[in-house]
Amino acid sequence: MNKKILAVLVMAAAAGLGLALSQHYFGAAKTTVPALVMQTANVIAEPRALPAFSLQSAGGTLTAENLKGSWTLVFIGFSHCPDICPTTLTELAQAQAIWAKSGISNKPKLLFLSIDPERDTPEALAEYAAFFNKDTITATAPEPQLTEFTRALGLVYMKVPQGDTYTMDHSATLVLLNPNAEFAGIIRPPLKPQAIAQDLLNLSKNPL
């Protein structure tokens, strides 16, 4: 019982951190880019540069340079996730299908970042994500780099013991990175694939 109480308290603190970060960047009112009308994305007027990061992907090292040139959605999760992750990746695959047919050269990207490097090797993670959409970029990182990067995005996660194994509790919010690989906004659940697809296409076609 004490372990369960501790887990609840830690998750409450994590949720509080996420809320505080969200309020810090977005304030009490939604701050959107005036020139574009967003259906579901919350885009901040002044993007924030991220600390330098180096992630591990099946194709090698992934840095900010690899994400520059197009808008990127970042979703954190793990391949052993029983519900939220496969559901979210299925929904985002619908948006990715629309992007693929858009014909634009700077089509948006999806980065699926595993917060379970202990079980998710870069190769296994890439194979898992490809089941939903082959265009998904995947990466992970060892600690403490992983925590540092996710915190810079305003996202949190926690390992939770579960019998002889464990699961991972994590933020379900999506983070938007602009073509300069800067923090530029968020998309909160419930997710609307069609709206997400259109918002990202509008952003891609209309440089800010």
Side-chain angles (χ1 to χ4, degrees), residues 76-90:
I76 66 171
F78 61 115
S79 67
H80 288 70
C81 180
D83 40 41
I84 294 177
C85 300
T87 297
T88 299
L89 290 173
T90 298

Side-chain angles (χ1 to χ4, degrees), residues 37-60:
V37 177
M38 297 287 98
Q39 299 180 52
T40 189
N42 293 280
V43 182
I44 59 177
E46 298 182 5
R48 173 175 56 85
L50 295 174
F53 61 87
S54 179
L55 308 175
Q56 299 174 351
S57 72

Side-chain angles (χ1 to χ4, degrees), residues 171-196:
S171 302
T173 295
L174 307 180
V175 168
L176 282 166
L177 302 183
N178 67 16
N180 293 319
E182 300 170 320
F183 179 95
I186 62 172
I187 296 177
R188 295 188 179 94
L191 302 183
K192 303 173 182 178
Q194 299 288 331
I196 291 173

Side-chain angles (χ1 to χ4, degrees), residues 70-138:
S70 63
W71 284 80
T72 302
L73 269 182
V74 183
F75 171 55
I76 66 171
F78 61 115
S79 67
H80 288 70
C81 180
D83 40 41
I84 294 177
C85 300
T87 297
T88 299
L89 290 173
T90 298
E91 292 174 330
L92 292 178
Q94 298 176 43
Q96 289 174 286
I98 295 173
W99 298 338
K101 297 177 182 178
S102 67
I104 63 174
S105 59
N106 62 331
K107 66 180 180 181
K109 303 172 184 175
L110 171 62
L111 169 59
F112 180 48
L113 178 68
S114 173
I115 39 78
D116 185 16
E118 184 177 334
R119 295 182 293 193
D120 285 340
T121 64
E123 293 74 21
L125 186 63
E127 183 177 354
Y128 171 78
F131 174 80
F132 300 93
N133 189 286
K134 62 181 179 58
D135 293 331
T136 301
I137 301 169
T138 57

